[in-house]
Amino acid sequence: GTTYHGIMQCPEKSVLIPCLHDESYIYMKVFADVFSKLRGMIFHAYPEEALAERVYDLGGVKHAVLGEGIDWEGDAERFRKKYHMEKPYILYAGRKDSGKNVDQLISYYREYLRRGGEQLELVLIGGGSIHIPGDIKEHVHDLGFVPIQDKYDAYAGAGMLCNPSHNESFSLVVMESWLAGRPVLVSGGCAVTRDFALRTGGGLYYDSYFEFEGAVNYLWAHPDMAEWKAVCAGTFLLACDCGKV
């Protein structure tokens, strides 16, 4: 409501950052009508822009992909000491609810352990709750909300980040992981994060359990290559965000 009525007050001066997902609300006629009257739209990623161009008439609307900027430093050893993390781990950072597909990550991780992949623990940080089966509780560390610096430290100490969400217009956690030089695993069902992985080489995407297992094992077996690609990915996206690529 605030978006619609705000634009209608002065559409010729309105610039919208829509954060679009391919969900039912974006197809409502009321939005299609008002978005065609905008002065401009700013997108976080190329697949988000493509989705908007497919759904709306943007012929008279200026628009560009600008991304977002991030800047922080983390300390891996500080995180390990504070949270008693002795083993290497896969990190998930974000809300723990079905909309973020975390239940699938738990299921895949459980199967990963069953098939002998016990070299990596799973660390969850963020709000919400998720059922963790009793047989894997000793390997899953649900830390809940943590101070922001602890989150940055967690990125620095992770073997890799996994973002299993299907609906992202950007992904700050992917960018933050790359800034730490850590690779990412993302859902093949998310156009935005899959595109990030394909464009940069800073991560892998998966569409099934066995692809998940293969990606985890590959990144874990090639730490130097994974770190190098993650750093390159971060550099690439910073350049894109500045309009230099």
PDB file of all heavy atoms in Angstrom, residues 20 23 29 31 39 42 46 48-49 53 67 79 110 112-113 131 135 141 157 161 174 176 187 191-192 210 215 228 236:
ATOM      1  N   LEU A  20      12.212  -7.565  -6.520  1.00  0.00           N
ATOM      2  CA  LEU A  20      11.212  -8.489  -7.060  1.00  0.00           C
ATOM      3  C   LEU A  20      11.592  -9.951  -6.895  1.00  0.00           C
ATOM      4  O   LEU A  20      12.742 -10.343  -7.119  1.00  0.00           O
ATOM      5  CB  LEU A  20      11.004  -8.219  -8.555  1.00  0.00           C
ATOM      6  CG  LEU A  20      10.294  -6.931  -8.957  1.00  0.00           C
ATOM      7  CD1 LEU A  20      10.210  -6.853 -10.471  1.00  0.00           C
ATOM      8  CD2 LEU A  20       8.907  -6.840  -8.345  1.00  0.00           C
ATOM      9  N   GLU A  23       6.826 -14.155  -7.525  1.00  0.00           N
ATOM     10  CA  GLU A  23       5.733 -14.601  -6.676  1.00  0.00           C
ATOM     11  C   GLU A  23       4.438 -13.938  -7.140  1.00  0.00           C
ATOM     12  O   GLU A  23       4.451 -12.979  -7.912  1.00  0.00           O
ATOM     13  CB  GLU A  23       6.028 -14.262  -5.216  1.00  0.00           C
ATOM     14  CG  GLU A  23       7.264 -14.979  -4.692  1.00  0.00           C
ATOM     15  CD  GLU A  23       7.593 -14.610  -3.256  1.00  0.00           C
ATOM     16  OE1 GLU A  23       7.934 -13.434  -3.021  1.00  0.00           O
ATOM     17  OE2 GLU A  23       7.516 -15.494  -2.390  1.00  0.00           O
ATOM     18  N   LYS A  29      -2.593  -6.545 -11.398  1.00  0.00           N
ATOM     19  CA  LYS A  29      -2.756  -5.462 -12.371  1.00  0.00           C
ATOM     20  C   LYS A  29      -2.485  -4.093 -11.752  1.00  0.00           C
ATOM     21  O   LYS A  29      -1.953  -3.192 -12.409  1.00  0.00           O
ATOM     22  CB  LYS A  29      -4.155  -5.501 -12.971  1.00  0.00           C
ATOM     23  CG  LYS A  29      -4.375  -4.494 -14.100  1.00  0.00           C
ATOM     24  CD  LYS A  29      -5.753  -4.665 -14.721  1.00  0.00           C
ATOM     25  CE  LYS A  29      -5.929  -3.716 -15.905  1.00  0.00           C
ATOM     26  NZ  LYS A  29      -5.843  -2.305 -15.531  1.00  0.00           N
ATOM     27  N   PHE A  31      -0.272  -3.174  -9.672  1.00  0.00           N
ATOM     28  CA  PHE A  31       1.150  -2.847  -9.720  1.00  0.00           C
ATOM     29  C   PHE A  31       1.627  -2.625 -11.149  1.00  0.00           C
ATOM     30  O   PHE A  31       2.438  -1.732 -11.409  1.00  0.00           O
ATOM     31  CB  PHE A  31       1.974  -3.945  -9.052  1.00  0.00           C
ATOM     32  CG  PHE A  31       1.813  -3.996  -7.558  1.00  0.00           C
ATOM     33  CD1 PHE A  31       1.488  -5.177  -6.917  1.00  0.00           C
ATOM     34  CD2 PHE A  31       1.986  -2.855  -6.791  1.00  0.00           C
ATOM     35  CE1 PHE A  31       1.331  -5.221  -5.538  1.00  0.00           C
ATOM     36  CE2 PHE A  31       1.839  -2.889  -5.415  1.00  0.00           C
ATOM     37  CZ  PHE A  31       1.505  -4.081  -4.783  1.00  0.00           C
ATOM     38  N   ARG A  39       9.321   7.123 -12.791  1.00  0.00           N
ATOM     39  CA  ARG A  39      10.461   7.804 -13.416  1.00  0.00           C
ATOM     40  C   ARG A  39      11.600   6.805 -13.631  1.00  0.00           C
ATOM     41  O   ARG A  39      12.323   6.873 -14.628  1.00  0.00           O
ATOM     42  CB  ARG A  39      10.933   8.949 -12.515  1.00  0.00           C
ATOM     43  CG  ARG A  39      12.202   9.664 -13.028  1.00  0.00           C
ATOM     44  CD  ARG A  39      11.954  10.408 -14.319  1.00  0.00           C
ATOM     45  NE  ARG A  39      13.137  11.103 -14.776  1.00  0.00           N
ATOM     46  CZ  ARG A  39      13.449  12.357 -14.421  1.00  0.00           C
ATOM     47  NH1 ARG A  39      12.657  13.028 -13.592  1.00  0.00           N
ATOM     48  NH2 ARG A  39      14.524  12.940 -14.900  1.00  0.00           N
ATOM     49  N   ILE A  42      15.422   0.732  -9.938  1.00  0.00           N
ATOM     50  CA  ILE A  42      16.786   0.281  -9.654  1.00  0.00           C
ATOM     51  C   ILE A  42      16.722  -1.178  -9.217  1.00  0.00           C
ATOM     52  O   ILE A  42      15.962  -1.525  -8.302  1.00  0.00           O
ATOM     53  CB  ILE A  42      17.432   1.137  -8.551  1.00  0.00           C
ATOM     54  CG1 ILE A  42      17.616   2.576  -9.041  1.00  0.00           C
ATOM     55  CG2 ILE A  42      18.780   0.549  -8.122  1.00  0.00           C
ATOM     56  CD1 ILE A  42      18.091   3.531  -7.959  1.00  0.00           C
ATOM     57  N   TYR A  46      20.740  -8.773 -12.458  1.00  0.00           N
ATOM     58  CA  TYR A  46      20.245  -8.852 -13.833  1.00  0.00           C
ATOM     59  C   TYR A  46      19.010  -9.738 -13.978  1.00  0.00           C
ATOM     60  O   TYR A  46      18.087  -9.381 -14.725  1.00  0.00           O
ATOM     61  CB  TYR A  46      21.367  -9.313 -14.758  1.00  0.00           C
ATOM     62  CG  TYR A  46      22.495  -8.313 -14.859  1.00  0.00           C
ATOM     63  CD1 TYR A  46      23.742  -8.589 -14.319  1.00  0.00           C
ATOM     64  CD2 TYR A  46      22.308  -7.068 -15.465  1.00  0.00           C
ATOM     65  CE1 TYR A  46      24.773  -7.657 -14.387  1.00  0.00           C
ATOM     66  CE2 TYR A  46      23.327  -6.138 -15.539  1.00  0.00           C
ATOM     67  CZ  TYR A  46      24.566  -6.441 -15.000  1.00  0.00           C
ATOM     68  OH  TYR A  46      25.580  -5.514 -15.057  1.00  0.00           O
ATOM     69  N   GLU A  48      16.662 -10.139 -11.851  1.00  0.00           N
ATOM     70  CA  GLU A  48      15.544  -9.358 -11.321  1.00  0.00           C
ATOM     71  C   GLU A  48      15.065  -8.358 -12.367  1.00  0.00           C
ATOM     72  O   GLU A  48      13.855  -8.177 -12.572  1.00  0.00           O
ATOM     73  CB  GLU A  48      15.963  -8.630 -10.045  1.00  0.00           C
ATOM     74  CG  GLU A  48      14.831  -7.850  -9.392  1.00  0.00           C
ATOM     75  CD  GLU A  48      15.281  -6.795  -8.410  1.00  0.00           C
ATOM     76  OE1 GLU A  48      16.511  -6.569  -8.288  1.00  0.00           O
ATOM     77  OE2 GLU A  48      14.409  -6.173  -7.781  1.00  0.00           O
ATOM     78  N   GLU A  49      16.005  -7.708 -13.045  1.00  0.00           N
ATOM     79  CA  GLU A  49      15.642  -6.776 -14.110  1.00  0.00           C
ATOM     80  C   GLU A  49      14.900  -7.495 -15.227  1.00  0.00           C
ATOM     81  O   GLU A  49      13.883  -6.997 -15.740  1.00  0.00           O
ATOM     82  CB  GLU A  49      16.898  -6.105 -14.665  1.00  0.00           C
ATOM     83  CG  GLU A  49      16.629  -5.125 -15.797  1.00  0.00           C
ATOM     84  CD  GLU A  49      17.907  -4.565 -16.394  1.00  0.00           C
ATOM     85  OE1 GLU A  49      18.831  -5.358 -16.669  1.00  0.00           O
ATOM     86  OE2 GLU A  49      17.982  -3.338 -16.588  1.00  0.00           O
ATOM     87  N   GLU A  53      11.103  -6.752 -16.683  1.00  0.00           N
ATOM     88  CA  GLU A  53      10.859  -6.451 -18.093  1.00  0.00           C
ATOM     89  C   GLU A  53       9.848  -7.420 -18.694  1.00  0.00           C
ATOM     90  O   GLU A  53       9.105  -7.071 -19.618  1.00  0.00           O
ATOM     91  CB  GLU A  53      12.165  -6.496 -18.865  1.00  0.00           C
ATOM     92  CG  GLU A  53      13.108  -5.346 -18.532  1.00  0.00           C
ATOM     93  CD  GLU A  53      14.452  -5.458 -19.222  1.00  0.00           C
ATOM     94  OE1 GLU A  53      14.903  -6.602 -19.480  1.00  0.00           O
ATOM     95  OE2 GLU A  53      15.051  -4.408 -19.506  1.00  0.00           O
ATOM     96  N   GLY A  67      23.038  -3.155  -7.943  1.00  0.00           N
ATOM     97  CA  GLY A  67      23.511  -4.015  -6.871  1.00  0.00           C
ATOM     98  C   GLY A  67      23.469  -3.306  -5.525  1.00  0.00           C
ATOM     99  O   GLY A  67      22.671  -2.401  -5.302  1.00  0.00           O
ATOM    100  N   PHE A  79      35.632 -16.292  16.229  1.00  0.00           N
ATOM    101  CA  PHE A  79      34.350 -17.000  16.186  1.00  0.00           C
ATOM    102  C   PHE A  79      34.493 -18.416  16.734  1.00  0.00           C
ATOM    103  O   PHE A  79      33.666 -18.875  17.531  1.00  0.00           O
ATOM    104  CB  PHE A  79      33.817 -17.056  14.751  1.00  0.00           C
ATOM    105  CG  PHE A  79      32.529 -17.805  14.618  1.00  0.00           C
ATOM    106  CD1 PHE A  79      31.320 -17.201  14.940  1.00  0.00           C
ATOM    107  CD2 PHE A  79      32.521 -19.120  14.184  1.00  0.00           C
ATOM    108  CE1 PHE A  79      30.121 -17.899  14.829  1.00  0.00           C
ATOM    109  CE2 PHE A  79      31.335 -19.826  14.068  1.00  0.00           C
ATOM    110  CZ  PHE A  79      30.127 -19.219  14.391  1.00  0.00           C
ATOM    111  N   ARG A 110      21.457 -33.930   6.558  1.00  0.00           N
ATOM    112  CA  ARG A 110      21.253 -35.209   7.248  1.00  0.00           C
ATOM    113  C   ARG A 110      21.657 -36.374   6.349  1.00  0.00           C
ATOM    114  O   ARG A 110      22.320 -37.322   6.781  1.00  0.00           O
ATOM    115  CB  ARG A 110      19.785 -35.332   7.657  1.00  0.00           C
ATOM    116  CG  ARG A 110      19.474 -36.558   8.511  1.00  0.00           C
ATOM    117  CD  ARG A 110      17.986 -36.642   8.770  1.00  0.00           C
ATOM    118  NE  ARG A 110      17.656 -37.633   9.767  1.00  0.00           N
ATOM    119  CZ  ARG A 110      16.424 -38.041  10.016  1.00  0.00           C
ATOM    120  NH1 ARG A 110      15.394 -37.532   9.333  1.00  0.00           N
ATOM    121  NH2 ARG A 110      16.203 -38.969  10.940  1.00  0.00           N
ATOM    122  N   TYR A 112      23.725 -36.159   3.872  1.00  0.00           N
ATOM    123  CA  TYR A 112      25.168 -36.029   3.699  1.00  0.00           C
ATOM    124  C   TYR A 112      25.906 -36.753   4.820  1.00  0.00           C
ATOM    125  O   TYR A 112      26.881 -37.484   4.579  1.00  0.00           O
ATOM    126  CB  TYR A 112      25.530 -34.547   3.671  1.00  0.00           C
ATOM    127  CG  TYR A 112      27.006 -34.255   3.504  1.00  0.00           C
ATOM    128  CD1 TYR A 112      27.632 -34.424   2.278  1.00  0.00           C
ATOM    129  CD2 TYR A 112      27.761 -33.788   4.578  1.00  0.00           C
ATOM    130  CE1 TYR A 112      28.983 -34.144   2.120  1.00  0.00           C
ATOM    131  CE2 TYR A 112      29.108 -33.500   4.426  1.00  0.00           C
ATOM    132  CZ  TYR A 112      29.708 -33.685   3.195  1.00  0.00           C
ATOM    133  OH  TYR A 112      31.042 -33.411   3.048  1.00  0.00           O
ATOM    134  N   LEU A 113      25.446 -36.579   6.047  1.00  0.00           N
ATOM    135  CA  LEU A 113      26.057 -37.279   7.178  1.00  0.00           C
ATOM    136  C   LEU A 113      25.837 -38.788   7.068  1.00  0.00           C
ATOM    137  O   LEU A 113      26.743 -39.577   7.335  1.00  0.00           O
ATOM    138  CB  LEU A 113      25.477 -36.774   8.498  1.00  0.00           C
ATOM    139  CG  LEU A 113      25.828 -35.347   8.922  1.00  0.00           C
ATOM    140  CD1 LEU A 113      25.213 -35.052  10.290  1.00  0.00           C
ATOM    141  CD2 LEU A 113      27.334 -35.123   8.962  1.00  0.00           C
ATOM    142  N   HIS A 131      13.070 -27.513  12.852  1.00  0.00           N
ATOM    143  CA  HIS A 131      13.235 -28.816  13.499  1.00  0.00           C
ATOM    144  C   HIS A 131      14.543 -29.452  13.056  1.00  0.00           C
ATOM    145  O   HIS A 131      14.828 -29.553  11.862  1.00  0.00           O
ATOM    146  CB  HIS A 131      12.072 -29.735  13.145  1.00  0.00           C
ATOM    147  CG  HIS A 131      12.267 -31.144  13.617  1.00  0.00           C
ATOM    148  ND1 HIS A 131      12.282 -31.481  14.969  1.00  0.00           N
ATOM    149  CD2 HIS A 131      12.495 -32.310  12.928  1.00  0.00           C
ATOM    150  CE1 HIS A 131      12.488 -32.775  15.091  1.00  0.00           C
ATOM    151  NE2 HIS A 131      12.619 -33.301  13.879  1.00  0.00           N
ATOM    152  N   ASP A 135      19.033 -37.354  15.482  1.00  0.00           N
ATOM    153  CA  ASP A 135      20.227 -38.106  15.112  1.00  0.00           C
ATOM    154  C   ASP A 135      21.341 -37.237  14.536  1.00  0.00           C
ATOM    155  O   ASP A 135      22.458 -37.720  14.327  1.00  0.00           O
ATOM    156  CB  ASP A 135      19.871 -39.228  14.126  1.00  0.00           C
ATOM    157  CG  ASP A 135      19.229 -38.712  12.847  1.00  0.00           C
ATOM    158  OD1 ASP A 135      18.573 -37.660  12.897  1.00  0.00           O
ATOM    159  OD2 ASP A 135      19.382 -39.366  11.801  1.00  0.00           O
ATOM    160  N   HIS A 141      24.661 -26.726  14.769  1.00  0.00           N
ATOM    161  CA  HIS A 141      24.800 -25.709  15.808  1.00  0.00           C
ATOM    162  C   HIS A 141      23.895 -24.527  15.454  1.00  0.00           C
ATOM    163  O   HIS A 141      24.238 -23.698  14.600  1.00  0.00           O
ATOM    164  CB  HIS A 141      26.259 -25.261  15.912  1.00  0.00           C
ATOM    165  CG  HIS A 141      27.218 -26.401  16.079  1.00  0.00           C
ATOM    166  ND1 HIS A 141      27.624 -26.841  17.318  1.00  0.00           N
ATOM    167  CD2 HIS A 141      27.820 -27.201  15.154  1.00  0.00           C
ATOM    168  CE1 HIS A 141      28.456 -27.863  17.155  1.00  0.00           C
ATOM    169  NE2 HIS A 141      28.593 -28.098  15.854  1.00  0.00           N
ATOM    170  N   GLY A 157      35.263 -17.822   9.182  1.00  0.00           N
ATOM    171  CA  GLY A 157      35.674 -19.140   9.627  1.00  0.00           C
ATOM    172  C   GLY A 157      35.044 -20.290   8.888  1.00  0.00           C
ATOM    173  O   GLY A 157      35.434 -21.445   9.074  1.00  0.00           O
ATOM    174  N   LEU A 161      29.501 -21.081   2.499  1.00  0.00           N
ATOM    175  CA  LEU A 161      28.159 -20.647   2.860  1.00  0.00           C
ATOM    176  C   LEU A 161      27.155 -21.368   1.978  1.00  0.00           C
ATOM    177  O   LEU A 161      27.407 -21.577   0.784  1.00  0.00           O
ATOM    178  CB  LEU A 161      28.004 -19.141   2.642  1.00  0.00           C
ATOM    179  CG  LEU A 161      26.570 -18.615   2.810  1.00  0.00           C
ATOM    180  CD1 LEU A 161      26.330 -18.184   4.250  1.00  0.00           C
ATOM    181  CD2 LEU A 161      26.274 -17.477   1.847  1.00  0.00           C
ATOM    182  N   VAL A 174      25.439 -13.915   0.334  1.00  0.00           N
ATOM    183  CA  VAL A 174      26.390 -14.356  -0.693  1.00  0.00           C
ATOM    184  C   VAL A 174      27.510 -13.332  -0.832  1.00  0.00           C
ATOM    185  O   VAL A 174      28.700 -13.684  -0.878  1.00  0.00           O
ATOM    186  CB  VAL A 174      25.673 -14.587  -2.036  1.00  0.00           C
ATOM    187  CG1 VAL A 174      26.686 -14.703  -3.178  1.00  0.00           C
ATOM    188  CG2 VAL A 174      24.826 -15.852  -1.970  1.00  0.00           C
ATOM    189  N   GLU A 176      28.522 -11.136   1.386  1.00  0.00           N
ATOM    190  CA  GLU A 176      29.326 -11.116   2.602  1.00  0.00           C
ATOM    191  C   GLU A 176      30.266 -12.309   2.661  1.00  0.00           C
ATOM    192  O   GLU A 176      31.410 -12.200   3.114  1.00  0.00           O
ATOM    193  CB  GLU A 176      28.395 -11.075   3.817  1.00  0.00           C
ATOM    194  CG  GLU A 176      27.702  -9.740   3.966  1.00  0.00           C
ATOM    195  CD  GLU A 176      26.554  -9.747   4.964  1.00  0.00           C
ATOM    196  OE1 GLU A 176      26.067 -10.840   5.316  1.00  0.00           O
ATOM    197  OE2 GLU A 176      26.132  -8.663   5.384  1.00  0.00           O
ATOM    198  N   SER A 187      20.812 -22.466  -4.438  1.00  0.00           N
ATOM    199  CA  SER A 187      19.782 -23.269  -5.093  1.00  0.00           C
ATOM    200  C   SER A 187      19.729 -22.975  -6.580  1.00  0.00           C
ATOM    201  O   SER A 187      19.693 -21.810  -6.995  1.00  0.00           O
ATOM    202  CB  SER A 187      18.421 -22.979  -4.460  1.00  0.00           C
ATOM    203  OG  SER A 187      17.380 -23.540  -5.235  1.00  0.00           O
ATOM    204  N   ALA A 191      16.883 -17.845  -9.670  1.00  0.00           N
ATOM    205  CA  ALA A 191      17.527 -17.282 -10.857  1.00  0.00           C
ATOM    206  C   ALA A 191      18.657 -16.332 -10.500  1.00  0.00           C
ATOM    207  O   ALA A 191      19.698 -16.306 -11.158  1.00  0.00           O
ATOM    208  CB  ALA A 191      16.486 -16.572 -11.721  1.00  0.00           C
ATOM    209  N   VAL A 192      18.482 -15.546  -9.437  1.00  0.00           N
ATOM    210  CA  VAL A 192      19.465 -14.521  -9.091  1.00  0.00           C
ATOM    211  C   VAL A 192      20.759 -15.136  -8.569  1.00  0.00           C
ATOM    212  O   VAL A 192      21.853 -14.841  -9.065  1.00  0.00           O
ATOM    213  CB  VAL A 192      18.879 -13.536  -8.065  1.00  0.00           C
ATOM    214  CG1 VAL A 192      19.976 -12.668  -7.455  1.00  0.00           C
ATOM    215  CG2 VAL A 192      17.831 -12.648  -8.717  1.00  0.00           C
ATOM    216  N   PHE A 210      22.149 -35.098  -4.800  1.00  0.00           N
ATOM    217  CA  PHE A 210      23.468 -35.561  -5.235  1.00  0.00           C
ATOM    218  C   PHE A 210      24.305 -34.421  -5.810  1.00  0.00           C
ATOM    219  O   PHE A 210      25.537 -34.443  -5.700  1.00  0.00           O
ATOM    220  CB  PHE A 210      23.316 -36.721  -6.218  1.00  0.00           C
ATOM    221  CG  PHE A 210      22.898 -37.991  -5.541  1.00  0.00           C
ATOM    222  CD1 PHE A 210      21.595 -38.461  -5.671  1.00  0.00           C
ATOM    223  CD2 PHE A 210      23.779 -38.690  -4.730  1.00  0.00           C
ATOM    224  CE1 PHE A 210      21.196 -39.622  -5.031  1.00  0.00           C
ATOM    225  CE2 PHE A 210      23.390 -39.853  -4.084  1.00  0.00           C
ATOM    226  CZ  PHE A 210      22.084 -40.320  -4.231  1.00  0.00           C
ATOM    227  N   ALA A 215      28.828 -30.842  -4.865  1.00  0.00           N
ATOM    228  CA  ALA A 215      29.333 -29.481  -4.744  1.00  0.00           C
ATOM    229  C   ALA A 215      30.062 -29.277  -3.419  1.00  0.00           C
ATOM    230  O   ALA A 215      31.137 -28.674  -3.370  1.00  0.00           O
ATOM    231  CB  ALA A 215      28.178 -28.482  -4.868  1.00  0.00           C
ATOM    232  N   TRP A 228      40.160 -18.551  -4.041  1.00  0.00           N
ATOM    233  CA  TRP A 228      40.571 -17.644  -5.116  1.00  0.00           C
ATOM    234  C   TRP A 228      39.373 -17.203  -5.940  1.00  0.00           C
ATOM    235  O   TRP A 228      39.207 -16.038  -6.257  1.00  0.00           O
ATOM    236  CB  TRP A 228      41.588 -18.361  -6.001  1.00  0.00           C
ATOM    237  CG  TRP A 228      42.034 -17.531  -7.166  1.00  0.00           C
ATOM    238  CD1 TRP A 228      42.986 -16.560  -7.163  1.00  0.00           C
ATOM    239  CD2 TRP A 228      41.531 -17.597  -8.505  1.00  0.00           C
ATOM    240  NE1 TRP A 228      43.111 -16.020  -8.419  1.00  0.00           N
ATOM    241  CE2 TRP A 228      42.245 -16.630  -9.259  1.00  0.00           C
ATOM    242  CE3 TRP A 228      40.573 -18.379  -9.140  1.00  0.00           C
ATOM    243  CZ2 TRP A 228      41.993 -16.441 -10.615  1.00  0.00           C
ATOM    244  CZ3 TRP A 228      40.325 -18.179 -10.489  1.00  0.00           C
ATOM    245  CH2 TRP A 228      41.037 -17.216 -11.204  1.00  0.00           C
ATOM    246  N   PHE A 236      34.582  -8.850  -9.034  1.00  0.00           N
ATOM    247  CA  PHE A 236      33.767  -8.711 -10.233  1.00  0.00           C
ATOM    248  C   PHE A 236      32.466  -7.969  -9.931  1.00  0.00           C
ATOM    249  O   PHE A 236      32.067  -7.043 -10.623  1.00  0.00           O
ATOM    250  CB  PHE A 236      33.453 -10.093 -10.803  1.00  0.00           C
ATOM    251  CG  PHE A 236      32.484 -10.081 -11.961  1.00  0.00           C
ATOM    252  CD1 PHE A 236      32.941  -9.931 -13.250  1.00  0.00           C
ATOM    253  CD2 PHE A 236      31.121 -10.223 -11.751  1.00  0.00           C
ATOM    254  CE1 PHE A 236      32.049  -9.924 -14.321  1.00  0.00           C
ATOM    255  CE2 PHE A 236      30.229 -10.228 -12.805  1.00  0.00           C
ATOM    256  CZ  PHE A 236      30.701 -10.071 -14.095  1.00  0.00           C
TER     257      PHE A 236
END
